[in-house]
Amino acid sequence: MSDAILPGSGFDTYESQDKVLVSMDGTVDAGVVVRILQQQGFAVAGAVVQLAAAQAEWAAAARKAAEALGIECITLKAEALADQPAEVLGEGNDAGFAALLTAADKLGIQYIATGSHARVELGADGVHTVHPAVDAAQDESAQLAALPQETLARLLLPLGEFTAEDVQEMARDFKVEGIV
């Protein structure tokens, strides 16, 4: 599969569904995220954020896992973003989120998702906040707390609602254990 984004490559074929670009890393968690979002009715595409040339082999494995899940996947070669200051990336964003958001915007995709274990909630005041994952042992909310409102409003974190055991059970049920 080519890394190029071409018109008609599948990213623009969903008319009535919300679209989501999932950060793919070749893990079972990423596979479960894809299946949860598909069950929720999202049109899912994958993106591998490659921040260094040395990650080429890992990126190829993550793309292969996405292919096994039946979704299209692009590689975002974001080496140039890896050492950029916050004002270039967008305040609070890291290189991975900056690359995902830029790709989503170019593809006309509203949402991004990761396998991070945390939750994003919208308060009555219209402010998005990061909350700890249901499973305290898996919680990654501290790493996401600095993300700006614009990112949090577009970020889906399906795994934050589940324990590690729940995720492993879903992996078996979704039959993603052997493909990622």
Side-chain angles (χ1 to χ4, degrees), residues 2-173:
S2 170
D3 288 340
I5 301 169
L6 303 172
S9 66
F11 287 99
D12 58 350
T13 59
Y14 304 98
E15 295 176 5
S16 62
Q17 293 177 312
D18 285 326
K19 300 175 191 174
V20 61
L21 187 62
V22 176
S23 178
M24 298 300 296
D25 59 8
T27 64
V28 169
D29 281 2
V32 171
V33 167
V34 167
R35 293 298 188 240
I36 289 171
L37 292 170
Q38 287 173 329
Q39 280 193 342
Q40 292 175 344
F42 286 97
V44 178
V48 177
V49 180
Q50 183 178 328
L51 296 173
Q55 293 178 322
E57 189 174 318
W58 164 80
R63 276 194 322 276
K64 186 175 179 181
E67 185 177 304
L69 291 166
I71 63 169
E72 293 200 41
C73 187
I74 57 173
T75 298
L76 306 174
K77 295 187 178 183
E79 293 94 338
L81 292 174
D83 296 319
Q84 294 297 316
E87 55 271 7
V88 173
L89 300 175
E91 194 63 41
N93 282 326
D94 67 12
F97 280 107
L100 276 175
L101 290 166
T102 299
D105 289 343
K106 287 183 180 182
L107 295 166
I109 296 175
Q110 175 64 35
Y111 300 103
I112 60 170
T114 74
S116 297
H117 293 262
R119 298 175 296 131
V120 175
E121 295 180 7
L122 178 61
D125 57 359
V127 175
H128 292 85
T129 55
V130 177
H131 292 273
V134 168
D135 187 339
Q138 299 290 318
D139 182 46
E140 298 173 287
S141 59
Q143 296 94 315
L144 304 175
L147 290 173
Q149 285 295 300
E150 298 79 26
T151 301
L152 294 175
R154 298 175 66 184
L155 181 61
L156 304 177
L157 301 171
L159 299 185
E161 300 294 332
F162 302 101
T163 66
E165 293 78 21
D166 292 337
V167 172
Q168 289 305 312
E169 184 178 332
M170 285 187 279
R172 287 188 296 277
D173 291 346

